[in-house]
Amino acid sequence: MVGFQRSGSYTLRPLLWLLLLAAWQAGSGQLHYSIPEEAKHGTFVGRIAQDLGLELAELVPRLFRVASKDRGDLLEVNLQNGILFVNSRIDREELCGRSAECSIHLEVIVDRPLQVFHVEVEVRDINDNPPVFPLREQRLLIYESKQPDSRFPLEGASDADIGENAVLVYRLSQNEYFSLELPTNSKQTKRPSLILKKTLDRETTPELNLLLTASDGGKPELTGTVQLWVRVLDVNDNDPEFDHLEYRVRIMENAAKETLVIKLNATDRDEGVNGQLQYSLRSIKPSGRPLFTLDENSGELRVNGTLDYEENKLYEVEVLATDKGNPPMVGHCTVLVEILDANDNAPELTLTSLSLPVREDAQPNTVIALISVSDPDSGVNGQVTCSLTPTVPFKIVSTFKNYYSLVLDSSLDRERVSTYHLVVTARDGGSPSLWATASVSVEVADVNDNAPAFAQPEYTVFVKENNPPGAHIFTVSAMDADAQENALVSYSLVERRVGERLLSSYVSVHAESGKVFALQPLDHEELELLQFQVSARDAGVPSLGSNVTLQVFVLDENDNAPTLLPHGAVRAGGSVSELVSRSVGSGHIVAKVRAVDADSGYNAWLSYELQSAAGGMRSPFRVGLYTGEISTTRPLDEADAPRQTLLVLVKDHGEPALTATATLLVSLVESGQAPKSFSQTSGRASIPETSLVDVNVYLIIAICAVSSLLVLTLLLYTALRCSATPTGGACSPGKPVLVCSSAVGTWSYSQQRRQRVCSGEGPPKTDLMAFSPSLPPNLDRDERERQESESNHPGQVSF
């Protein structure tokens, strides 16, 4: 019959039963079943799923499984009905030997969430083993001089069962000389003995054949028999006698070989050779291995092998003392050797159900692994405690006797520590203590908790205008501290409008490499600054991202030639006619050539040159190098041709320089024929030179002071920026540096204009760049002052 009970006893009072039941439900979670050994395959043990409070439908999804430290194939669970049944033959004697208690310990494990239940199945003994004698026949040599009531110990039988099934009762066949003395409960040896009822007579009865039967207490009882052959001896009628029939000694299990156990002493009342004794071992129980040796002359019993408390705790040694009579007489004694436990077994540690790897966002108290420990020693030597490597975010929690769980103690960060190498130590309470270790590597699985990060929030890029379509202008790069797909970064533009066009019509970014390309030629005159953002996003779920700002400065190239501004008196062919009176003096301003250049900076800085006249004749006119003013170099006279053609070359300072040519047709007339408009010019020229010189001097000093201060500030700023370690070439990250030359009195532009700066944020900005070309040293003072005065009043000029 199969029995089932929870931790507790039905014989307890109801109140105690309820308390124990509540404690079981809140704590251990242990089930206890009972089953007889030798049960057939399929024998019902218990409804384990129902008793554990589990639904039948969740057994398979939750990976219901049973593990056993013993033999795992003895019991099995039917996942369809949740019944625990016998799977294979269970032999209690093979499983537990002669231990009074025999149980199969099962661990029931289910996932989602992970739970562990402990089940104990008690295996009850049945009477399946008959008593067995060590020999088929026992021979006894008994002198005829033996007195009645003499005692002759016999080798008893043994029964592999336990309890009542192993309680033996002996019966002796009918005879007139011997009776049987049964072992009493006070004696530990449990051996029967023959008692002589009357004196033997060798002449009438030289030998006897008896049958000894042993019956156990099982139902039905089983029996075993042995033949007793008794030979009656003559003459030597006194046998040796020990001081005690039974000796009890204790010895440590780690005793070395040749350690003295006990020194036995026996005496014989006979004389001569009949009183000379020799000692011998008759048997050693259990196992019969030669664990002890006996000196035949001194009677010293010594250790001969390795004692093991965990294998056997008590040895029964039968010792004989035999005299040298003819025939020899024998005395008997029993030595009970009790083995004392020593801490000679290190704990055994097992890790199961590893839940690896562990996500870095796992919550504290998440179960990582199950740990079971055991120690075959007894007492404090078998008490085991577990500990873990210090300073790790894990801890060990006791769940049941000798069962622990490795759980998460605090939060994880894979980017700081990706793998933990843990060492679990199991240490017993012996002195000195023994320990065992088990190593487990806990890998932390990545979670997308880090966004891609750029080295700096903003980059400055310089690109020359007129670049080829598809030119690579810069490469952005972002790093992601995560791993695998969580660290796979892709790049894209943050789309917006640049004026009336989309940003994607100007630039593009490669999704994988981060290379930024200009999709079309950029024009400095149209767009000086293009400011936009590039987004970097990882491939995690959910995706994380960040942006970086790129400022692309379009650098000017000399791709625009100077353009002459039109004048009202333009003739066919683009020439301009002017009338000049022959009476004008030196330095008279005849006309002014006005030109503009769509470029900027040095590329828009214009200079003027007067081409040599045909025939190598020296012209009475000259042109201001930077002002474009055409004036006389000397007073005109009658020798000068009445019609003169002046070719003025307008040239910028780009590389290579671009030019434009202006043609001025000058007609010399008498003073009365000069147009009125020139009287204003002559009047302006007649301003006292001293006043004009004073004004120009002050203007030059002010411009030089302001320009020098600006140049000094910019040079200091540039030196500080250049002292940093460079990270790239011409398009390296950094802030733009504006370099201006010092001014000595002229502006480069011959045209005022506003440049568009497309940053995508705020209104367009005005770009003003100042240049300071050095004045030619060959100009006379009047020319230089006139040029400086004119340059301080820039505006829309024409010729």
Side-chain angles (χ1 to χ4, degrees), residues 54 209 256 387 424 480 502 599 613 626 688 781:
L54 301 175
N209 287 310
S387 61
V424 181
D480 195 313
L502 292 176
D599 294 322
Y626 299 110
R781 181 181 178 187

Side-chain angles (χ1 to χ4, degrees), residues 450-517:
N450 290 278
F454 291 93
Q456 57 189 67
E458 182 177 293
Y459 294 92
T460 300
V461 183
F462 296 93
V463 180
K464 290 184 178 181
E465 66 174 333
N466 302 321
N467 58 281
H472 172 224
I473 62 174
F474 193 65
T475 300
V476 294
S477 178
M479 301 298 295
D480 195 313
D482 294 319
Q484 297 177 355
E485 68 274 2
N486 295 331
L488 186 61
V489 180
S490 60
Y491 304 91
S492 62
L493 286 177
V494 179
E495 186 64 276
R496 64 175 182 83
R497 299 193 70 83
V498 180
E500 297 180 355
R501 298 168 58 182
L502 292 176
L503 173 65
S504 57
S505 66
Y506 286 96
V507 292
S508 68
V509 60
H510 193 274
E512 296 180 0
S513 65
K515 290 184 177 180
V516 181
F517 300 94

Side-chain angles (χ1 to χ4, degrees), residues 299-432:
E300 292 180 349
L301 184 66
R302 296 182 179 273
V303 176
N304 187 47
T306 301
L307 304 179
D308 191 352
Y309 173 85
E310 289 70 38
E311 182 178 347
N312 281 300
K313 301 175 178 60
L314 180 70
Y315 289 94
E316 182 180 332
V317 182
E318 292 292 328
V319 180
L320 301 179
T322 306
D323 62 20
K324 296 182 179 180
N326 189 16
M329 301 293 290
V330 180
H332 306 265
C333 80
T334 301
V335 180
L336 298 177
V337 181
E338 182 179 354
I339 308 302
L340 301 180
D341 183 41
N343 192 26
D344 58 345
N345 291 280
E348 296 178 0
L349 190 149
T350 304
L351 276 76
T352 58
S353 301
L354 296 176
S355 300
L356 299 176
V358 181
R359 288 172 56 91
E360 63 176 320
D361 60 350
Q363 297 299 316
N365 296 321
T366 298
V367 178
I368 309 301
L370 302 178
I371 305 170
S372 61
V373 296
S374 62
D375 193 319
D377 292 325
S378 63
V380 296
N381 296 331
Q383 295 177 0
V384 182
T385 57
C386 273
S387 61
L388 187 62
T389 306
T391 65
V392 293
F394 302 92
K395 63 180 178 180
I396 292 180
V397 178
S398 177
T399 58
F400 192 66
K401 180 181 179 181
N402 292 337
Y403 290 91
Y404 300 86
S405 293
L406 176 63
V407 300
L408 184 62
D409 188 34
S410 59
S411 59
L412 302 175
D413 186 358
R414 190 206 66 82
E415 289 70 41
R416 187 171 62 89
V417 180
S418 60
T419 303
Y420 291 90
H421 299 286
L422 307 181
V423 177
V424 181
T425 303
R427 187 182 301 271
D428 61 28
S431 180

